Amino acid sequence: GENVEQHPSTLSVQEGDSAVIKCTYSDSASNYFPWYKQELGKRPQLIIDIRSNVGEKKDQRIAVTLNKTAKHFSLHITETQPEDSAVYFCAAGTNFGNEKLTFGTGTRLTIIP
Amino acid sequence: EAQVTQNPRYLITVTGKKLTVTCSQNMNHEYMSWYRQDPGLGLRQIYYSMNVEVTDKGDVPEGYKVSRKEKRNFPLILESPSPNQTSLYFCASSPLSVTNTGELFFGEGSRLTVL
């Protein structure tokens, strides 16, 4: 089955700086890569996703890049703000008959004011 | 309001006492799934369902059962709970398949403690 590794497990950045979280996956058939944000005590929510036919996707201050050859994808947050503090999960999935979405272990991001 | 509702939100129980965590969604979603969240392990899928009467195992199905008799409901059953099932449980739904639509809608979570 799919295995998703996520690094780092914790990350602290100064407000206004950029944050990068990286994930690698094992199944070359995976073609869908979402990122979820979970604020303290709340449910995970989708913030951005990318499919294998795209190398990069941006949405305001967040962006995701995908390298299918190397089987890794990354979340980039620019101009970080206190409300970006949360746990971020990457995930990998495929729609070729396998509807299981495998999540990474999460990154706790802390923005230092 | 579109939502996924889980009950109970908090439960403390004892080993071996059967319990059910209910999950209901009002968005007419075909796909539903259960995850457990443990520190350092992220979200791990327990079971999922593509539609009524169609369920399949996720990565950690041992000790759990599910059923999908109606489109809106997807209960999680612990026939004989054990302490290693102490966890935070999330139900989620999505229209069609999660990989086709791009978003899982999560419930608020159910924190279960098994003594």
Side-chain angles (χ1 to χ4, degrees), chain A residues 32 36 38 43-44 46 49 51 89 93-95 99-105, chain B residues 31 35 37 40 42-43 45 48 50 90 97 99-100 102-104 106-108:
Chain A
Y32 174 64
Y36 283 80
Q38 185 180 29
R43 71 192 84 188
L46 179 72
D49 58 11
R51 299 186 185 275
F89 292 99
T94 172
N95 58 359
E99 301 303 331
K100 291 190 275 188
L101 194 65
T102 301
F103 284 84
T105 51
Chain B
Y31 180 94
Y35 293 87
Q37 183 175 11
L43 292 157
Q45 189 178 48
Y48 66 96
M50 294 298 295
F90 284 101
S97 77
T99 51
N100 285 334
E103 183 166 9
L104 275 172
F106 284 87
E108 294 186 341

PDB file of all heavy atoms in Angstrom, chain A residues 32 36 38 43-44 46 49 51 89 93-95 99-105, chain B residues 31 35 37 40 42-43 45 48 50 90 97 99-100 102-104 106-108:
ATOM      1  N   TYR A  32      -3.167  12.094  -6.769  1.00  0.00           N
ATOM      2  CA  TYR A  32      -3.907  13.185  -6.127  1.00  0.00           C
ATOM      3  C   TYR A  32      -3.257  13.473  -4.785  1.00  0.00           C
ATOM      4  O   TYR A  32      -3.044  12.559  -3.976  1.00  0.00           O
ATOM      5  CB  TYR A  32      -5.371  12.785  -5.950  1.00  0.00           C
ATOM      6  CG  TYR A  32      -6.185  13.783  -5.178  1.00  0.00           C
ATOM      7  CD1 TYR A  32      -6.405  15.057  -5.672  1.00  0.00           C
ATOM      8  CD2 TYR A  32      -6.739  13.452  -3.944  1.00  0.00           C
ATOM      9  CE1 TYR A  32      -7.150  15.980  -4.975  1.00  0.00           C
ATOM     10  CE2 TYR A  32      -7.474  14.365  -3.223  1.00  0.00           C
ATOM     11  CZ  TYR A  32      -7.680  15.627  -3.745  1.00  0.00           C
ATOM     12  OH  TYR A  32      -8.415  16.537  -3.042  1.00  0.00           O
ATOM     13  N   TYR A  36      -4.224  19.289   4.187  1.00  0.00           N
ATOM     14  CA  TYR A  36      -5.249  19.661   5.141  1.00  0.00           C
ATOM     15  C   TYR A  36      -4.629  20.411   6.312  1.00  0.00           C
ATOM     16  O   TYR A  36      -3.519  20.105   6.744  1.00  0.00           O
ATOM     17  CB  TYR A  36      -5.984  18.410   5.671  1.00  0.00           C
ATOM     18  CG  TYR A  36      -6.990  17.861   4.678  1.00  0.00           C
ATOM     19  CD1 TYR A  36      -6.576  17.072   3.615  1.00  0.00           C
ATOM     20  CD2 TYR A  36      -8.336  18.152   4.806  1.00  0.00           C
ATOM     21  CE1 TYR A  36      -7.495  16.589   2.694  1.00  0.00           C
ATOM     22  CE2 TYR A  36      -9.265  17.670   3.896  1.00  0.00           C
ATOM     23  CZ  TYR A  36      -8.833  16.896   2.843  1.00  0.00           C
ATOM     24  OH  TYR A  36      -9.747  16.412   1.932  1.00  0.00           O
ATOM     25  N   GLN A  38      -5.299  21.623  10.286  1.00  0.00           N
ATOM     26  CA  GLN A  38      -6.098  21.346  11.467  1.00  0.00           C
ATOM     27  C   GLN A  38      -5.699  22.309  12.590  1.00  0.00           C
ATOM     28  O   GLN A  38      -4.622  22.173  13.170  1.00  0.00           O
ATOM     29  CB  GLN A  38      -5.931  19.897  11.935  1.00  0.00           C
ATOM     30  CG  GLN A  38      -6.845  19.526  13.089  1.00  0.00           C
ATOM     31  CD  GLN A  38      -6.670  18.086  13.536  1.00  0.00           C
ATOM     32  OE1 GLN A  38      -5.593  17.505  13.402  1.00  0.00           O
ATOM     33  NE2 GLN A  38      -7.729  17.483  14.054  1.00  0.00           N
ATOM     34  N   ARG A  43     -11.528  20.375  13.364  1.00  0.00           N
ATOM     35  CA  ARG A  43     -11.467  19.318  12.351  1.00  0.00           C
ATOM     36  C   ARG A  43     -10.487  19.696  11.241  1.00  0.00           C
ATOM     37  O   ARG A  43     -10.248  20.878  11.000  1.00  0.00           O
ATOM     38  CB  ARG A  43     -12.862  19.116  11.755  1.00  0.00           C
ATOM     39  CG  ARG A  43     -13.318  20.256  10.858  1.00  0.00           C
ATOM     40  CD  ARG A  43     -14.781  20.156  10.520  1.00  0.00           C
ATOM     41  NE  ARG A  43     -15.629  20.735  11.543  1.00  0.00           N
ATOM     42  CZ  ARG A  43     -16.947  20.641  11.554  1.00  0.00           C
ATOM     43  NH1 ARG A  43     -17.579  19.971  10.620  1.00  0.00           N
ATOM     44  NH2 ARG A  43     -17.664  21.200  12.519  1.00  0.00           N
ATOM     45  N   PRO A  44      -9.924  18.730  10.556  1.00  0.00           N
ATOM     46  CA  PRO A  44      -9.068  19.044   9.402  1.00  0.00           C
ATOM     47  C   PRO A  44      -9.901  19.660   8.273  1.00  0.00           C
ATOM     48  O   PRO A  44     -11.046  19.274   8.045  1.00  0.00           O
ATOM     49  CB  PRO A  44      -8.523  17.669   8.983  1.00  0.00           C
ATOM     50  CG  PRO A  44      -8.713  16.790  10.175  1.00  0.00           C
ATOM     51  CD  PRO A  44      -9.953  17.287  10.853  1.00  0.00           C
ATOM     52  N   LEU A  46      -9.483  21.086   4.086  1.00  0.00           N
ATOM     53  CA  LEU A  46      -8.670  21.151   2.876  1.00  0.00           C
ATOM     54  C   LEU A  46      -8.237  22.588   2.610  1.00  0.00           C
ATOM     55  O   LEU A  46      -9.054  23.506   2.658  1.00  0.00           O
ATOM     56  CB  LEU A  46      -9.468  20.633   1.686  1.00  0.00           C
ATOM     57  CG  LEU A  46      -8.758  20.657   0.341  1.00  0.00           C
ATOM     58  CD1 LEU A  46      -7.689  19.582   0.296  1.00  0.00           C
ATOM     59  CD2 LEU A  46      -9.758  20.454  -0.799  1.00  0.00           C
ATOM     60  N   ASP A  49      -4.918  21.456  -3.078  1.00  0.00           N
ATOM     61  CA  ASP A  49      -4.613  20.114  -3.591  1.00  0.00           C
ATOM     62  C   ASP A  49      -4.006  20.230  -4.983  1.00  0.00           C
ATOM     63  O   ASP A  49      -4.093  21.271  -5.628  1.00  0.00           O
ATOM     64  CB  ASP A  49      -5.845  19.203  -3.596  1.00  0.00           C
ATOM     65  CG  ASP A  49      -6.999  19.766  -4.423  1.00  0.00           C
ATOM     66  OD1 ASP A  49      -6.803  20.756  -5.172  1.00  0.00           O
ATOM     67  OD2 ASP A  49      -8.112  19.237  -4.305  1.00  0.00           O
ATOM     68  N   ARG A  51      -3.027  17.708  -8.623  1.00  0.00           N
ATOM     69  CA  ARG A  51      -3.119  16.427  -9.316  1.00  0.00           C
ATOM     70  C   ARG A  51      -1.863  16.222 -10.150  1.00  0.00           C
ATOM     71  O   ARG A  51      -1.138  17.164 -10.434  1.00  0.00           O
ATOM     72  CB  ARG A  51      -4.387  16.386 -10.169  1.00  0.00           C
ATOM     73  CG  ARG A  51      -5.640  16.525  -9.321  1.00  0.00           C
ATOM     74  CD  ARG A  51      -6.921  16.359 -10.091  1.00  0.00           C
ATOM     75  NE  ARG A  51      -8.075  16.615  -9.215  1.00  0.00           N
ATOM     76  CZ  ARG A  51      -8.619  15.700  -8.434  1.00  0.00           C
ATOM     77  NH1 ARG A  51      -8.137  14.480  -8.414  1.00  0.00           N
ATOM     78  NH2 ARG A  51      -9.655  16.007  -7.662  1.00  0.00           N
ATOM     79  N   PHE A  89      -1.399  18.420   7.360  1.00  0.00           N
ATOM     80  CA  PHE A  89      -1.277  17.033   6.901  1.00  0.00           C
ATOM     81  C   PHE A  89      -1.224  16.993   5.381  1.00  0.00           C
ATOM     82  O   PHE A  89      -2.056  17.593   4.712  1.00  0.00           O
ATOM     83  CB  PHE A  89      -2.478  16.199   7.344  1.00  0.00           C
ATOM     84  CG  PHE A  89      -2.580  15.971   8.819  1.00  0.00           C
ATOM     85  CD1 PHE A  89      -3.431  16.750   9.599  1.00  0.00           C
ATOM     86  CD2 PHE A  89      -1.851  14.961   9.436  1.00  0.00           C
ATOM     87  CE1 PHE A  89      -3.537  16.531  10.964  1.00  0.00           C
ATOM     88  CE2 PHE A  89      -1.954  14.745  10.791  1.00  0.00           C
ATOM     89  CZ  PHE A  89      -2.796  15.533  11.562  1.00  0.00           C
ATOM     90  N   GLY A  93      -3.293   9.919  -2.853  1.00  0.00           N
ATOM     91  CA  GLY A  93      -4.351   8.989  -3.205  1.00  0.00           C
ATOM     92  C   GLY A  93      -4.376   8.731  -4.699  1.00  0.00           C
ATOM     93  O   GLY A  93      -3.696   9.383  -5.483  1.00  0.00           O
ATOM     94  N   THR A  94      -5.192   7.755  -5.063  1.00  0.00           N
ATOM     95  CA  THR A  94      -5.331   7.394  -6.463  1.00  0.00           C
ATOM     96  C   THR A  94      -6.780   7.097  -6.770  1.00  0.00           C
ATOM     97  O   THR A  94      -7.523   6.648  -5.899  1.00  0.00           O
ATOM     98  CB  THR A  94      -4.473   6.170  -6.808  1.00  0.00           C
ATOM     99  OG1 THR A  94      -4.779   5.738  -8.124  1.00  0.00           O
ATOM    100  CG2 THR A  94      -4.749   5.029  -5.843  1.00  0.00           C
ATOM    101  N   ASN A  95      -7.189   7.365  -7.976  1.00  0.00           N
ATOM    102  CA  ASN A  95      -8.569   7.042  -8.339  1.00  0.00           C
ATOM    103  C   ASN A  95      -8.628   5.884  -9.325  1.00  0.00           C
ATOM    104  O   ASN A  95      -9.564   5.754 -10.077  1.00  0.00           O
ATOM    105  CB  ASN A  95      -9.280   8.268  -8.907  1.00  0.00           C
ATOM    106  CG  ASN A  95      -8.572   8.827 -10.124  1.00  0.00           C
ATOM    107  OD1 ASN A  95      -7.534   8.318 -10.538  1.00  0.00           O
ATOM    108  ND2 ASN A  95      -9.132   9.853 -10.707  1.00  0.00           N
ATOM    109  N   GLU A  99      -9.777   3.837  -3.517  1.00  0.00           N
ATOM    110  CA  GLU A  99     -10.269   5.120  -3.030  1.00  0.00           C
ATOM    111  C   GLU A  99      -9.706   5.472  -1.662  1.00  0.00           C
ATOM    112  O   GLU A  99     -10.256   6.303  -0.973  1.00  0.00           O
ATOM    113  CB  GLU A  99     -11.793   5.082  -2.994  1.00  0.00           C
ATOM    114  CG  GLU A  99     -12.407   4.817  -4.345  1.00  0.00           C
ATOM    115  CD  GLU A  99     -11.996   5.830  -5.404  1.00  0.00           C
ATOM    116  OE1 GLU A  99     -11.724   6.979  -5.039  1.00  0.00           O
ATOM    117  OE2 GLU A  99     -11.939   5.471  -6.589  1.00  0.00           O
ATOM    118  N   LYS A 100      -8.626   4.852  -1.305  1.00  0.00           N
ATOM    119  CA  LYS A 100      -8.035   5.141   0.003  1.00  0.00           C
ATOM    120  C   LYS A 100      -7.088   6.321  -0.108  1.00  0.00           C
ATOM    121  O   LYS A 100      -6.244   6.390  -0.987  1.00  0.00           O
ATOM    122  CB  LYS A 100      -7.287   3.907   0.513  1.00  0.00           C
ATOM    123  CG  LYS A 100      -8.212   2.761   0.889  1.00  0.00           C
ATOM    124  CD  LYS A 100      -7.473   1.649   1.608  1.00  0.00           C
ATOM    125  CE  LYS A 100      -6.831   0.690   0.651  1.00  0.00           C
ATOM    126  NZ  LYS A 100      -6.281  -0.484   1.357  1.00  0.00           N
ATOM    127  N   LEU A 101      -7.239   7.238   0.804  1.00  0.00           N
ATOM    128  CA  LEU A 101      -6.364   8.399   0.885  1.00  0.00           C
ATOM    129  C   LEU A 101      -5.441   8.188   2.072  1.00  0.00           C
ATOM    130  O   LEU A 101      -5.911   8.028   3.198  1.00  0.00           O
ATOM    131  CB  LEU A 101      -7.198   9.663   1.057  1.00  0.00           C
ATOM    132  CG  LEU A 101      -6.501  11.004   0.842  1.00  0.00           C
ATOM    133  CD1 LEU A 101      -6.072  11.141  -0.606  1.00  0.00           C
ATOM    134  CD2 LEU A 101      -7.448  12.134   1.223  1.00  0.00           C
ATOM    135  N   THR A 102      -4.133   8.174   1.836  1.00  0.00           N
ATOM    136  CA  THR A 102      -3.171   7.949   2.903  1.00  0.00           C
ATOM    137  C   THR A 102      -2.574   9.278   3.342  1.00  0.00           C
ATOM    138  O   THR A 102      -2.031  10.022   2.516  1.00  0.00           O
ATOM    139  CB  THR A 102      -2.046   7.003   2.424  1.00  0.00           C
ATOM    140  OG1 THR A 102      -2.626   5.767   2.013  1.00  0.00           O
ATOM    141  CG2 THR A 102      -1.069   6.739   3.560  1.00  0.00           C
ATOM    142  N   PHE A 103      -2.642   9.540   4.646  1.00  0.00           N
ATOM    143  CA  PHE A 103      -2.145  10.795   5.193  1.00  0.00           C
ATOM    144  C   PHE A 103      -0.725  10.660   5.740  1.00  0.00           C
ATOM    145  O   PHE A 103      -0.311   9.582   6.184  1.00  0.00           O
ATOM    146  CB  PHE A 103      -3.058  11.274   6.334  1.00  0.00           C
ATOM    147  CG  PHE A 103      -4.350  11.876   5.877  1.00  0.00           C
ATOM    148  CD1 PHE A 103      -5.440  11.071   5.582  1.00  0.00           C
ATOM    149  CD2 PHE A 103      -4.481  13.245   5.733  1.00  0.00           C
ATOM    150  CE1 PHE A 103      -6.643  11.614   5.150  1.00  0.00           C
ATOM    151  CE2 PHE A 103      -5.678  13.804   5.309  1.00  0.00           C
ATOM    152  CZ  PHE A 103      -6.759  12.988   5.012  1.00  0.00           C
ATOM    153  N   GLY A 104      -0.012  11.765   5.726  1.00  0.00           N
ATOM    154  CA  GLY A 104       1.256  11.852   6.430  1.00  0.00           C
ATOM    155  C   GLY A 104       1.008  12.010   7.920  1.00  0.00           C
ATOM    156  O   GLY A 104      -0.144  12.109   8.362  1.00  0.00           O
ATOM    157  N   THR A 105       2.084  12.070   8.683  1.00  0.00           N
ATOM    158  CA  THR A 105       1.964  12.099  10.135  1.00  0.00           C
ATOM    159  C   THR A 105       1.756  13.496  10.711  1.00  0.00           C
ATOM    160  O   THR A 105       1.567  13.653  11.904  1.00  0.00           O
ATOM    161  CB  THR A 105       3.185  11.456  10.789  1.00  0.00           C
ATOM    162  OG1 THR A 105       4.358  12.053  10.237  1.00  0.00           O
ATOM    163  CG2 THR A 105       3.219   9.948  10.542  1.00  0.00           C
TER     164      THR A 105
ATOM    165  N   TYR B  31     -19.505   9.145  -0.851  1.00  0.00           N
ATOM    166  CA  TYR B  31     -18.330   8.605  -0.188  1.00  0.00           C
ATOM    167  C   TYR B  31     -18.308   9.014   1.277  1.00  0.00           C
ATOM    168  O   TYR B  31     -18.497  10.191   1.613  1.00  0.00           O
ATOM    169  CB  TYR B  31     -17.068   9.119  -0.882  1.00  0.00           C
ATOM    170  CG  TYR B  31     -15.759   8.637  -0.296  1.00  0.00           C
ATOM    171  CD1 TYR B  31     -15.112   7.519  -0.801  1.00  0.00           C
ATOM    172  CD2 TYR B  31     -15.151   9.319   0.752  1.00  0.00           C
ATOM    173  CE1 TYR B  31     -13.902   7.081  -0.298  1.00  0.00           C
ATOM    174  CE2 TYR B  31     -13.950   8.891   1.279  1.00  0.00           C
ATOM    175  CZ  TYR B  31     -13.327   7.774   0.753  1.00  0.00           C
ATOM    176  OH  TYR B  31     -12.141   7.344   1.273  1.00  0.00           O
ATOM    177  N   TYR B  35     -11.670   7.815  10.165  1.00  0.00           N
ATOM    178  CA  TYR B  35     -10.251   7.908  10.446  1.00  0.00           C
ATOM    179  C   TYR B  35     -10.063   7.958  11.961  1.00  0.00           C
ATOM    180  O   TYR B  35     -10.916   8.429  12.703  1.00  0.00           O
ATOM    181  CB  TYR B  35      -9.650   9.191   9.859  1.00  0.00           C
ATOM    182  CG  TYR B  35      -9.647   9.240   8.353  1.00  0.00           C
ATOM    183  CD1 TYR B  35     -10.743   9.709   7.644  1.00  0.00           C
ATOM    184  CD2 TYR B  35      -8.539   8.810   7.638  1.00  0.00           C
ATOM    185  CE1 TYR B  35     -10.742   9.746   6.271  1.00  0.00           C
ATOM    186  CE2 TYR B  35      -8.527   8.846   6.252  1.00  0.00           C
ATOM    187  CZ  TYR B  35      -9.623   9.319   5.582  1.00  0.00           C
ATOM    188  OH  TYR B  35      -9.620   9.352   4.212  1.00  0.00           O
ATOM    189  N   GLN B  37      -7.141   9.463  14.738  1.00  0.00           N
ATOM    190  CA  GLN B  37      -5.988  10.337  14.832  1.00  0.00           C
ATOM    191  C   GLN B  37      -5.276  10.094  16.151  1.00  0.00           C
ATOM    192  O   GLN B  37      -5.869  10.238  17.225  1.00  0.00           O
ATOM    193  CB  GLN B  37      -6.407  11.810  14.728  1.00  0.00           C
ATOM    194  CG  GLN B  37      -5.226  12.766  14.748  1.00  0.00           C
ATOM    195  CD  GLN B  37      -5.639  14.215  14.533  1.00  0.00           C
ATOM    196  OE1 GLN B  37      -6.809  14.564  14.560  1.00  0.00           O
ATOM    197  NE2 GLN B  37      -4.664  15.070  14.317  1.00  0.00           N
ATOM    198  N   GLY B  40       1.550  11.664  16.586  1.00  0.00           N
ATOM    199  CA  GLY B  40       2.692  11.139  15.854  1.00  0.00           C
ATOM    200  C   GLY B  40       2.362  10.170  14.739  1.00  0.00           C
ATOM    201  O   GLY B  40       3.248   9.757  13.994  1.00  0.00           O
ATOM    202  N   GLY B  42      -0.633  10.667  12.707  1.00  0.00           N
ATOM    203  CA  GLY B  42      -1.479  11.323  11.720  1.00  0.00           C
ATOM    204  C   GLY B  42      -2.881  10.755  11.689  1.00  0.00           C
ATOM    205  O   GLY B  42      -3.394  10.246  12.692  1.00  0.00           O
ATOM    206  N   LEU B  43      -3.498  10.816  10.532  1.00  0.00           N
ATOM    207  CA  LEU B  43      -4.849  10.298  10.316  1.00  0.00           C
ATOM    208  C   LEU B  43      -4.745   8.962   9.598  1.00  0.00           C
ATOM    209  O   LEU B  43      -4.190   8.880   8.508  1.00  0.00           O
ATOM    210  CB  LEU B  43      -5.657  11.279   9.462  1.00  0.00           C
ATOM    211  CG  LEU B  43      -6.000  12.610  10.126  1.00  0.00           C
ATOM    212  CD1 LEU B  43      -6.279  13.674   9.069  1.00  0.00           C
ATOM    213  CD2 LEU B  43      -7.208  12.444  11.029  1.00  0.00           C
ATOM    214  N   GLN B  45      -6.844   5.654   8.086  1.00  0.00           N
ATOM    215  CA  GLN B  45      -8.178   5.283   7.643  1.00  0.00           C
ATOM    216  C   GLN B  45      -8.582   3.926   8.210  1.00  0.00           C
ATOM    217  O   GLN B  45      -7.816   2.961   8.140  1.00  0.00           O
ATOM    218  CB  GLN B  45      -8.232   5.247   6.121  1.00  0.00           C
ATOM    219  CG  GLN B  45      -9.637   5.084   5.566  1.00  0.00           C
ATOM    220  CD  GLN B  45      -9.648   5.105   4.051  1.00  0.00           C
ATOM    221  OE1 GLN B  45      -8.861   4.424   3.419  1.00  0.00           O
ATOM    222  NE2 GLN B  45     -10.529   5.892   3.475  1.00  0.00           N
ATOM    223  N   TYR B  48     -13.980   2.684   4.722  1.00  0.00           N
ATOM    224  CA  TYR B  48     -14.617   3.667   3.878  1.00  0.00           C
ATOM    225  C   TYR B  48     -15.759   3.023   3.107  1.00  0.00           C
ATOM    226  O   TYR B  48     -15.862   1.791   3.037  1.00  0.00           O
ATOM    227  CB  TYR B  48     -13.612   4.326   2.917  1.00  0.00           C
ATOM    228  CG  TYR B  48     -13.006   3.421   1.872  1.00  0.00           C
ATOM    229  CD1 TYR B  48     -13.528   3.347   0.583  1.00  0.00           C
ATOM    230  CD2 TYR B  48     -11.875   2.662   2.164  1.00  0.00           C
ATOM    231  CE1 TYR B  48     -12.959   2.529  -0.372  1.00  0.00           C
ATOM    232  CE2 TYR B  48     -11.305   1.845   1.212  1.00  0.00           C
ATOM    233  CZ  TYR B  48     -11.833   1.780  -0.064  1.00  0.00           C
ATOM    234  OH  TYR B  48     -11.270   0.967  -1.008  1.00  0.00           O
ATOM    235  N   MET B  50     -18.081   3.588  -0.556  1.00  0.00           N
ATOM    236  CA  MET B  50     -18.287   4.307  -1.814  1.00  0.00           C
ATOM    237  C   MET B  50     -19.758   4.635  -2.039  1.00  0.00           C
ATOM    238  O   MET B  50     -20.072   5.573  -2.782  1.00  0.00           O
ATOM    239  CB  MET B  50     -17.772   3.472  -2.979  1.00  0.00           C
ATOM    240  CG  MET B  50     -16.265   3.267  -2.964  1.00  0.00           C
ATOM    241  SD  MET B  50     -15.388   4.833  -3.111  1.00  0.00           S
ATOM    242  CE  MET B  50     -15.901   5.317  -4.768  1.00  0.00           C
ATOM    243  N   PHE B  90     -12.513  10.607  13.516  1.00  0.00           N
ATOM    244  CA  PHE B  90     -13.147  11.531  12.596  1.00  0.00           C
ATOM    245  C   PHE B  90     -13.901  10.763  11.523  1.00  0.00           C
ATOM    246  O   PHE B  90     -13.369   9.844  10.908  1.00  0.00           O
ATOM    247  CB  PHE B  90     -12.119  12.426  11.904  1.00  0.00           C
ATOM    248  CG  PHE B  90     -11.586  13.526  12.760  1.00  0.00           C
ATOM    249  CD1 PHE B  90     -10.348  13.409  13.364  1.00  0.00           C
ATOM    250  CD2 PHE B  90     -12.319  14.684  12.962  1.00  0.00           C
ATOM    251  CE1 PHE B  90      -9.844  14.429  14.157  1.00  0.00           C
ATOM    252  CE2 PHE B  90     -11.828  15.708  13.755  1.00  0.00           C
ATOM    253  CZ  PHE B  90     -10.585  15.579  14.360  1.00  0.00           C
ATOM    254  N   SER B  97     -15.958  10.106  -5.407  1.00  0.00           N
ATOM    255  CA  SER B  97     -14.771   9.627  -4.725  1.00  0.00           C
ATOM    256  C   SER B  97     -13.931  10.814  -4.286  1.00  0.00           C
ATOM    257  O   SER B  97     -13.956  11.855  -4.906  1.00  0.00           O
ATOM    258  CB  SER B  97     -13.937   8.730  -5.638  1.00  0.00           C
ATOM    259  OG  SER B  97     -13.221   9.513  -6.552  1.00  0.00           O
ATOM    260  N   THR B  99     -10.880  11.312  -4.511  1.00  0.00           N
ATOM    261  CA  THR B  99      -9.846  11.730  -5.445  1.00  0.00           C
ATOM    262  C   THR B  99     -10.436  12.421  -6.674  1.00  0.00           C
ATOM    263  O   THR B  99      -9.728  13.104  -7.385  1.00  0.00           O
ATOM    264  CB  THR B  99      -9.020  10.524  -5.883  1.00  0.00           C
ATOM    265  OG1 THR B  99      -9.907   9.485  -6.327  1.00  0.00           O
ATOM    266  CG2 THR B  99      -8.181   9.991  -4.750  1.00  0.00           C
ATOM    267  N   ASN B 100     -11.731  12.271  -6.914  1.00  0.00           N
ATOM    268  CA  ASN B 100     -12.330  12.964  -8.039  1.00  0.00           C
ATOM    269  C   ASN B 100     -12.818  14.354  -7.676  1.00  0.00           C
ATOM    270  O   ASN B 100     -12.865  15.232  -8.499  1.00  0.00           O
ATOM    271  CB  ASN B 100     -13.500  12.151  -8.596  1.00  0.00           C
ATOM    272  CG  ASN B 100     -13.020  10.965  -9.398  1.00  0.00           C
ATOM    273  OD1 ASN B 100     -11.931  10.977  -9.940  1.00  0.00           O
ATOM    274  ND2 ASN B 100     -13.829   9.937  -9.459  1.00  0.00           N
ATOM    275  N   GLY B 102     -11.877  16.204  -4.718  1.00  0.00           N
ATOM    276  CA  GLY B 102     -10.876  17.059  -4.119  1.00  0.00           C
ATOM    277  C   GLY B 102     -11.112  17.500  -2.707  1.00  0.00           C
ATOM    278  O   GLY B 102     -10.311  18.249  -2.173  1.00  0.00           O
ATOM    279  N   GLU B 103     -12.153  17.093  -2.031  1.00  0.00           N
ATOM    280  CA  GLU B 103     -12.311  17.560  -0.668  1.00  0.00           C
ATOM    281  C   GLU B 103     -13.060  16.567   0.205  1.00  0.00           C
ATOM    282  O   GLU B 103     -14.150  16.104  -0.156  1.00  0.00           O
ATOM    283  CB  GLU B 103     -13.027  18.892  -0.616  1.00  0.00           C
ATOM    284  CG  GLU B 103     -13.149  19.456   0.794  1.00  0.00           C
ATOM    285  CD  GLU B 103     -13.541  20.907   0.825  1.00  0.00           C
ATOM    286  OE1 GLU B 103     -13.888  21.463  -0.223  1.00  0.00           O
ATOM    287  OE2 GLU B 103     -13.495  21.495   1.927  1.00  0.00           O
ATOM    288  N   LEU B 104     -12.469  16.289   1.341  1.00  0.00           N
ATOM    289  CA  LEU B 104     -13.130  15.539   2.395  1.00  0.00           C
ATOM    290  C   LEU B 104     -13.720  16.531   3.386  1.00  0.00           C
ATOM    291  O   LEU B 104     -13.034  17.458   3.821  1.00  0.00           O
ATOM    292  CB  LEU B 104     -12.138  14.659   3.148  1.00  0.00           C
ATOM    293  CG  LEU B 104     -11.803  13.279   2.592  1.00  0.00           C
ATOM    294  CD1 LEU B 104     -10.652  12.676   3.381  1.00  0.00           C
ATOM    295  CD2 LEU B 104     -13.014  12.370   2.642  1.00  0.00           C
ATOM    296  N   PHE B 106     -14.957  16.860   7.060  1.00  0.00           N
ATOM    297  CA  PHE B 106     -14.820  16.127   8.307  1.00  0.00           C
ATOM    298  C   PHE B 106     -15.872  16.546   9.331  1.00  0.00           C
ATOM    299  O   PHE B 106     -16.302  17.706   9.365  1.00  0.00           O
ATOM    300  CB  PHE B 106     -13.435  16.376   8.920  1.00  0.00           C
ATOM    301  CG  PHE B 106     -12.315  15.630   8.253  1.00  0.00           C
ATOM    302  CD1 PHE B 106     -11.666  16.168   7.158  1.00  0.00           C
ATOM    303  CD2 PHE B 106     -11.912  14.391   8.733  1.00  0.00           C
ATOM    304  CE1 PHE B 106     -10.623  15.488   6.534  1.00  0.00           C
ATOM    305  CE2 PHE B 106     -10.874  13.701   8.125  1.00  0.00           C
ATOM    306  CZ  PHE B 106     -10.228  14.253   7.025  1.00  0.00           C
ATOM    307  N   GLY B 107     -16.240  15.575  10.161  1.00  0.00           N
ATOM    308  CA  GLY B 107     -17.037  15.897  11.339  1.00  0.00           C
ATOM    309  C   GLY B 107     -16.146  16.529  12.394  1.00  0.00           C
ATOM    310  O   GLY B 107     -14.941  16.708  12.192  1.00  0.00           O
ATOM    311  N   GLU B 108     -16.722  16.853  13.542  1.00  0.00           N
ATOM    312  CA  GLU B 108     -15.969  17.556  14.586  1.00  0.00           C
ATOM    313  C   GLU B 108     -15.096  16.631  15.418  1.00  0.00           C
ATOM    314  O   GLU B 108     -14.289  17.097  16.210  1.00  0.00           O
ATOM    315  CB  GLU B 108     -16.930  18.331  15.492  1.00  0.00           C
ATOM    316  CG  GLU B 108     -17.638  19.465  14.775  1.00  0.00           C
ATOM    317  CD  GLU B 108     -18.467  20.320  15.710  1.00  0.00           C
ATOM    318  OE1 GLU B 108     -18.791  19.840  16.819  1.00  0.00           O
ATOM    319  OE2 GLU B 108     -18.797  21.457  15.341  1.00  0.00           O
TER     320      GLU B 108
END
